[in-house]
Amino acid sequence: MSVSAESPREYFAICEVEEIPRGGARAFDLAEPDGEGQKPFRIVIARNARGDHFAYRNACPHQGVWLNVGSGTFFDESGALRCGRHGSRFDLESGTCVSGPCEGAQLQKIGVAVVTGDVCIHGVRLVEDDRAWDDDDTMDITVPPG
């Protein structure tokens, strides 16, 4: 029988826990490898009222627009995670669209964990990038390298 050693999980610290209030969300612009270069990797990290964190790629499954496009907010007046362009509403904990043009579709979930007071993502490949992506009208929040 062959047993393969599992490689250690790599965690990327994104922000401190206190930077995202309970019932709040924040966008981050990161970079991921793309062939010989890199491309934007936009994420949203949200926190429910209990304090649990959830991370998703910041792209509505309907047409790929950022969830916070327009007003810059992630939640509607009822507190549901929503797409600012098409009004689709998502269950915060599962990422499932519960109403709107993409009903039943899923946001792309990203592994998230709190490690020694930092909100970290895992299960993704990132590259360090010190430039801000300037090709959209989403909120510009860039995590500096290091």
Side-chain angles (χ1 to χ4, degrees):
M1 177 183 335
S2 171
V3 178
S4 63
E6 189 175 321
S7 61
R9 184 172 280 178
E10 190 169 10
Y11 289 84
F12 299 96
I14 303 301
C15 66
E16 294 179 2
V17 169
E18 299 81 27
E19 292 181 51
I20 303 174
R22 290 174 187 250
R26 188 168 165 199
F28 296 91
D29 286 349
L30 309 173
E32 65 182 334
D34 180 25
E36 295 179 18
Q38 57 195 24
K39 65 181 181 178
F41 182 67
R42 295 180 172 100
I43 66 170
V44 55
I45 299 177
R47 194 170 181 198
N48 66 13
R50 291 187 311 269
D52 302 319
H53 291 85
F54 302 90
Y56 299 100
R57 186 176 286 265
N58 190 2
C60 178
H62 178 57
Q63 292 182 337
V65 298
W66 308 277
L67 297 174
N68 57 324
V69 72
S71 68
T73 61
F74 288 99
F75 298 102
D76 66 12
E77 61 283 343
S78 73
L81 189 62
R82 58 104 180 119
C83 172
R85 180 159 297 157
H86 303 104
S88 294
R89 297 176 69 223
F90 299 88
D91 176 74
L92 178 59
E93 297 184 15
S94 69
T96 301
C97 181
V98 294
S99 69
C102 58
E103 190 168 345
Q106 295 279 140
L107 293 171
Q108 184 181 345
K109 196 169 209 162
I110 298 167
V112 64
V114 174
V115 179
T116 61
D118 289 327
V119 178
C120 302
I121 60 172
H122 58 86
V124 296
R125 291 183 54 211
L126 297 177
V127 295
E128 288 188 5
D129 184 40
D130 58 0
R131 65 182 173 176
W133 302 101
D134 192 26
D135 63 350
D136 62 67
D137 58 348
T138 191
M139 299 191 56
D140 290 327
I141 299 173
T142 303
V143 178

